[in-house]
Amino acid sequence: MTLFEAVGGEPTFRKLVDEFYAGVAADPLLRPMYPEEDLGPAADRLALFLMQYWGGPNTYSAQRGHPRLRMRHAPYRIGAAERDAWLLHMRRAVDRLDLPPEIATALWDYLERAAYFMVNAMEDPAGPA
């Protein structure tokens, strides 16, 4: 059984993503990274990606090709603050799913690794000039 099946399939991933984007919508650091007026297209892309990654249908790749996550996010500055804000909203979303602990841990471990992987801007240890 895939994690996709174990969590209840598409409805669970849609709920995760909806909860996540509810936080992003009001986040002054993250919201500017989503140029579309409506967060719906971004939410759909993330849901399709996560469903495919965890063993669901390959709709994401069929529509968009290889995920190329770093390339698709390259236009945006993603530093520690952006990563941490993303993780904050995603942690709340995962917690709201009320998944069995072993499944929640597997999902969270992946999401946390992915967030760290997306960082493309190093912080200046001396701070602003």
Side-chain angles (χ1 to χ4, degrees):
M1 176 180 288
T2 65
L3 188 134
F4 175 80
E5 295 164 330
V7 301
E10 183 172 347
T12 300
F13 282 96
R14 294 285 178 183
K15 180 178 179 186
L16 171 71
V17 169
D18 288 347
E19 294 283 347
F20 169 72
Y21 277 106
V24 169
D27 189 299
L29 188 60
L30 296 181
R31 184 61 180 98
M33 292 185 188
Y34 299 89
E36 296 158 313
E37 284 294 315
D38 176 14
L39 288 171
D44 191 53
R45 290 188 298 269
L46 179 58
L48 292 174
F49 170 77
L50 290 173
M51 287 188 282
Q52 177 176 304
Y53 181 85
W54 290 105
N58 71 345
T59 309
Y60 180 91
S61 289
Q63 290 179 357
R64 298 184 51 84
H66 188 280
R68 298 186 185 122
L69 295 179
R70 284 187 62 96
M71 181 197 77
R72 292 185 196 276
H73 291 82
Y76 305 101
R77 182 194 179 287
I78 303 172
E82 292 81 7
R83 176 201 65 215
D84 292 348
W86 191 93
L87 285 168
L88 171 74
H89 299 299
M90 191 55 80
R91 178 78 256 175
R92 288 181 181 157
V94 170
D95 289 347
R96 288 191 176 124
L97 294 178
D98 197 29
L99 297 170
E102 65 279 0
I103 292 176
T105 297
L107 180 59
W108 180 250
D109 286 350
Y110 167 76
L111 293 167
E112 190 172 41
R113 283 192 317 273
Y116 275 82
F117 176 72
M118 299 307 294
V119 171
N120 62 17
M122 294 297 124
E123 305 299 324
D124 181 357

